[in-house]
Amino acid sequence: MSTETSRGTGGGKSTATWRNWAGNVASRPAREVTPTPTDELSAALRAAKADGLRAKPVGAGHSFTAAAATDGLLIRSDLLTGIRAIDRAAGTVTVEAGTPLRRLNMALAREGLSLTNMGDIMEQTVSGAVSTGTHGTGRDSSSIAAQITALELVTADGTVLTCSADENPDVFAAARVGLGALGVITAITFAVEPIFFLTAREEPMTFDRVTSDFDALFTENEHFEFYWFPHTGNCNTKRNNRSPGPVAPPGRISAFVQDELISNGLFQVVNSVGRAFPATIPGIARISSRALSPRTYTDIPYKVFTSPRRVRFMEMEYAVPRAALVETLRELKAMVERSRLRISFPVEVRTAPADDIALSTASGRESAYIAVHMYKGTPYQAYFAAAERIFTAHEGRPHWGKLHTRDAEYFAEVYPRFGEFTAVRDRLDPDRMFTNAYLRRVLGD
């Protein structure tokens, strides 16, 4: 059975305030529901509509934006979890929308299967991850949403739609990165493949070398990413390539030192010091950028692609045309150097091939991603505003789940298929049951 929390109907107050992971977004829904089968969800949506409530699904709350905030019906996906079916002949897995990526990755590994590519954390639900365009890095393999072959969507009137390239293809083209604006995703079918090994090579490299050799590093590696440490000329690079194996994970002590002690524990401490004493940040950055040692290891995909991230932060990320990456990044570095900003978090750079999803940040063009971060509790607005001016000058597209100030007018210019998405929205949700303030800004009303 579903569980529901409510005090009254349309104007009643929920018993709890919902907050996102970063703590910068909070909302007080009038009603909450945690449905299991889709018929319970359909009934909850119809009841909310009758009571004049808007509705929003929420996952793990890892979006920095208010995409999931609502003062109406909050739909939790906690009970929509688990694998529905594995089709080995077709190479697909169908999974309930509220399944955490961690659980999916581990379950697939037990079955000898894997997604082709994934992001660098796995705390999100599958529906939340795809709805905001979560991605990793890849020369040939795309975002998590681009690996979807079908999905199940419950619309504002309670109708259950099955969408794929053959069935409701216009909805499928939009709903894979749907921002929660088209309905509630209840199940997703992903393309999967037999599990494989990746060999990761992590290596410090100078900023000048990375930017000068970027095209070669990108071309020669299946998955290339790097981190630049502001106030320094230092980067840390990571190259992931398929390997015949065998498994050769980092040693237990090495993994603890690099992934927990340095990347989380010590990083938490130095960011706390930097927040209290900003003048120390450039010196700390120079030390931090040299703290990680080169290492090479081999393991199954999710153990190589993903890492623990325990230090909380605020984030903005933009996708720019891949050909514009080096120029954009050099402009960002020059801006930081001539400013009085003090940046304690590294800048993350990744890539993705073009895909065919209407509102994917890689829609129709090869893309490179530049993510800027600030430690939680540190003023971030001046840094993000200055970075955003650089990104938008290069026709950047902001990650849908990360901070930005763009609106529908801007998106209509940088997304050739923006009108296609809004037309599907007009048809599926003409009364805007799934809207909120964030969606009114980015999609129009």
Side-chain angles (χ1 to χ4, degrees):
M1 288 185 66
S2 66
T3 60
E4 187 167 323
T5 300
S6 177
R7 289 158 94 187
T9 55
K13 292 184 178 180
S14 165
T15 58
T17 297
W18 174 83
R19 298 182 188 279
N20 66 342
W21 174 84
N24 65 308
V25 176
S27 65
R28 191 72 179 257
R31 185 182 305 170
E32 294 183 12
V33 64
T34 308
T36 44
T38 53
D39 57 348
E40 291 182 355
L41 175 58
S42 296
L45 287 172
R46 293 188 188 103
K49 190 171 186 177
D51 291 339
L53 296 179
R54 302 199 187 279
K56 292 299 296 179
V58 297
H62 265 264
S63 173
F64 295 86
T65 72
T70 186
D71 59 2
L73 175 66
L74 186 75
I75 303 163
R76 296 189 180 272
S77 58
D78 302 45
L79 301 181
L80 295 172
T81 63
I83 292 176
R84 283 191 186 181
I86 295 174
D87 187 334
R88 294 183 184 274
T92 62
V93 60
T94 300
V95 61
E96 300 283 351
T99 306
L101 284 169
R102 178 182 300 277
R103 193 180 304 174
L104 173 61
N105 287 332
M106 295 176 70
L108 288 176
R110 289 194 295 268
E111 296 290 337
L113 300 169
S114 178
L115 295 170
T116 297
N117 200 356
M118 57 194 75
D120 58 7
I121 63 169
M122 49 182 182
E123 312 311 314
Q124 314 99 314
T125 63
V126 294
S127 58
V130 302
S131 294
T132 55
T134 294
H135 62 90
T137 190
R139 181 190 61 204
D140 308 306
S141 52
S142 303
S143 69
I144 300 175
Q147 297 170 69
I148 297 174
T149 63
L151 59 85
E152 182 180 86
L153 183 74
V154 181
T155 61
D157 63 2
T159 300
V160 180
L161 293 180
T162 300
C163 310
S164 68
D166 300 317
E167 189 173 3
N168 297 304
D170 59 333
V171 179
F172 183 67
R176 283 176 287 170
V177 179
L179 316 184
L182 305 179
V184 182
I185 295 175
T186 49
I188 299 172
T189 300
F190 291 104
V192 293
E193 59 177 301
I195 203 164
F196 52 93
F197 297 117
L198 287 170
T199 292
R201 178 183 172 190
E202 299 176 1
E203 179 185 11
M205 196 175 292
T206 67
F207 180 91
D208 290 342
R209 183 183 166 194
V210 173
T211 52
S212 296
D213 295 350
F214 175 75
D215 286 341
L217 290 164
F218 166 81
T219 302
E220 294 167 3
N221 295 281
E222 293 174 80
H223 308 274
F224 176 68
E225 62 185 302
F226 67 94
Y227 297 84
W228 164 58
F229 293 80
H231 311 296
T232 80
N234 303 324
C235 297
N236 199 52
T237 65
K238 185 176 182 181
R239 288 169 262 196
N240 298 331
N241 290 287
R242 295 203 183 205
S243 164
V247 168
R252 183 172 297 181
I253 295 176
S254 170
F256 172 76
V257 169
Q258 299 239 112
D259 298 330
E260 290 294 345
L261 184 60
I262 295 178
S263 297
N264 285 292
L266 182 60
F267 193 52
Q268 176 80 53
V269 172
V270 299
N271 273 279
S272 297
V273 171
R275 182 174 64 186
F277 306 101
T280 66
I281 287 176
I284 290 174
R286 286 190 289 272
I287 296 170
S288 299
S289 65
R290 296 187 177 94
L292 296 174
S293 302
R295 62 175 178 171
T296 300
Y297 54 94
T298 301
D299 217 321
I300 59 176
Y302 83 83
K303 294 184 179 182
V304 174
F305 283 131
T306 69
S307 302
R309 294 284 187 266
R310 310 193 201 288
V311 181
R312 302 217 174 193
F313 52 85
M314 302 299 290
E315 181 176 4
M316 168 184 285
E317 180 184 73
Y318 266 74
V320 299
R322 187 174 66 80
L325 169 66
V326 171
E327 180 183 357
T328 306
L329 196 58
R330 285 173 175 161
E331 290 177 12
L332 181 68
K333 185 172 185 288
M335 179 274 291
V336 170
E337 289 174 346
R338 68 174 177 263
S339 75
R340 301 180 66 181
L341 296 168
R342 295 295 179 261
I343 316 301
S344 61
F345 251 83
V347 173
E348 183 180 23
V349 179
R350 294 175 287 175
T351 66
D355 63 41
D356 64 348
I357 306 170
L359 290 191
S360 165
T361 46
S363 182
R365 75 182 190 193
E366 286 192 333
S367 297
Y369 297 93
I370 305 175
V372 297
H373 312 70
M374 285 291 274
Y375 183 52
K376 184 180 177 183
T378 303
Y380 62 85
Q381 290 86 349
Y383 177 36
F384 285 13
E388 191 172 38
R389 285 192 292 271
I390 294 169
F391 299 151
T392 55
H394 292 278
E395 299 182 340
R397 298 168 178 171
H399 189 299
W400 292 109
K402 300 177 184 180
L403 295 175
H404 66 89
T405 65
R406 301 298 90 187
D407 60 16
E409 183 179 3
Y410 179 84
F411 292 124
E413 294 178 358
V414 297
Y415 282 99
R417 299 173 65 181
F418 186 78
E420 176 185 327
F421 183 94
T422 56
V424 171
R425 183 189 185 213
D426 288 343
R427 178 163 61 84
L428 295 184
D429 188 19
D431 297 326
R432 299 294 188 263
M433 184 173 188
F434 297 112
T435 198
N436 60 15
Y438 175 74
L439 293 184
R440 282 192 290 273
R441 173 164 68 87
V442 300
L443 297 178
D445 208 26

